[in-house]
Amino acid sequence: MALPPKFKGHRLAFYEAAAAPELPQHTVEVFLDYVCPFSAKLFNTVYNTLTPALRADPVLSRKVQFVFRHQVQPWHPSSTLAHEAGLAVQRLAPSQFWAFSAALFGAQKEFFDVSVVGETRNETYKRLAQLAASSTGGSVDADEVYKLLAIPGRAADDGSLNVGNAVTNDLKVVVKMARLVGVHVSPTVIFDGVVANDISSSWTVEQWLDWLKKNVA
């Protein structure tokens, strides 16, 4: 599936653009939910251990790329809010999207059901905005993130009450992407357009590298 330019920060490459100007031949799409423990497990392996290994590999680094796909799970009410925060960071500082995602997965328990039930939606947004600012080295401002997320406390001029926020339309697009390919479970991995059911969230970096070497021509 193509990656719209406005979501360019969702792409994770492992080489310097000047050294390999053409896009990699193979794409691994990871469908993840920010408040899913299994998604966190897969993300942490990919981002913290597999990424350095791929960057050090002169062959694989030029042939494969990863794309983050938002897999919003509605039975976790805060899932929508967390993914909206990711989209807000993507809009403000695309290069910081993966760093913020790492921080959000690291703090995901702070946004589980029990952790958010006693606060308003906008209060949760404020905490997400603070996390965005603290995890991106000053690249994004908490107030700017919150402006994109906050729900106004009044009706729109036409009287409508389901007004959404500044990233609602982006959220609709990424949700539609997952629905179009029939993804339900988080995490789900798609390799070159086909679901790779053999990939598990419990995989080690060695298992990832072995699989990629076998499947990347």
Side-chain angles (χ1 to χ4, degrees):
M1 186 187 300
L3 183 67
K6 68 177 179 178
F7 298 136
K8 62 182 180 181
H10 291 58
R11 178 173 172 267
L12 182 62
F14 308 104
Y15 59 89
E16 295 295 333
E22 295 184 0
L23 289 176
Q25 299 169 321
H26 302 280
T27 300
V28 179
E29 299 171 84
V30 286
F31 288 76
L32 306 172
D33 175 22
Y34 284 126
V35 293
C36 165
F38 299 102
S39 290
K41 195 172 183 180
L42 187 146
F43 178 93
N44 289 334
T45 301
V46 167
Y47 188 70
N48 295 322
T49 57
L50 180 61
T51 292
L54 288 175
R55 285 179 173 155
D57 189 309
V59 176
L60 287 177
S61 63
R62 292 169 178 259
K63 291 189 173 183
V64 66
Q65 65 180 346
F66 276 64
V67 174
F68 187 108
R69 299 293 191 188
H70 297 265
Q71 183 63 15
V72 181
Q73 301 290 32
W75 46 87
H76 301 308
S78 59
S79 177
T80 294
L81 281 62
H83 285 278
E84 287 176 325
L87 292 167
V89 170
Q90 153 68 47
R91 183 178 296 188
L92 294 170
S95 65
Q96 298 300 314
F97 173 79
W98 282 82
F100 171 66
S101 294
L104 185 46
F105 276 119
Q108 69 172 191
K109 289 184 179 179
E110 298 175 21
F111 300 97
F112 282 1
D113 292 353
V114 173
S115 302
V116 302
V117 70
E119 62 187 12
T120 67
R121 180 174 176 178
N122 280 344
E123 286 172 341
T124 303
Y125 283 145
K126 286 181 179 179
R127 292 199 294 119
L128 286 163
Q130 290 293 335
L131 180 63
S134 65
S135 64
T136 56
S139 296
V140 298
D141 179 77
D143 290 339
E144 292 302 312
V145 175
Y146 182 68
K147 286 179 183 177
L148 294 177
L149 299 175
I151 302 296
R154 61 185 182 281
D157 293 340
D158 63 359
S160 58
L161 299 176
N162 277 329
V163 295
N165 58 29
V167 295
T168 295
N169 287 336
D170 286 348
L171 184 72
K172 290 179 179 179
V173 171
V174 298
V175 169
K176 186 180 292 186
M177 287 178 175
R179 290 177 177 175
L180 284 171
V181 293
V183 172
H184 174 69
V185 175
S186 62
T188 291
V189 178
I190 291 182
F191 178 70
D192 288 348
V194 180
V195 175
N197 285 319
D198 50 337
I199 295 178
S200 167
S201 61
S202 64
W203 269 19
T204 63
V205 64
E206 290 79 15
Q207 287 174 296
W208 269 104
L209 288 170
D210 182 61
W211 189 91
L212 287 170
K213 289 173 181 177
K214 290 177 180 177
N215 288 277
V216 171

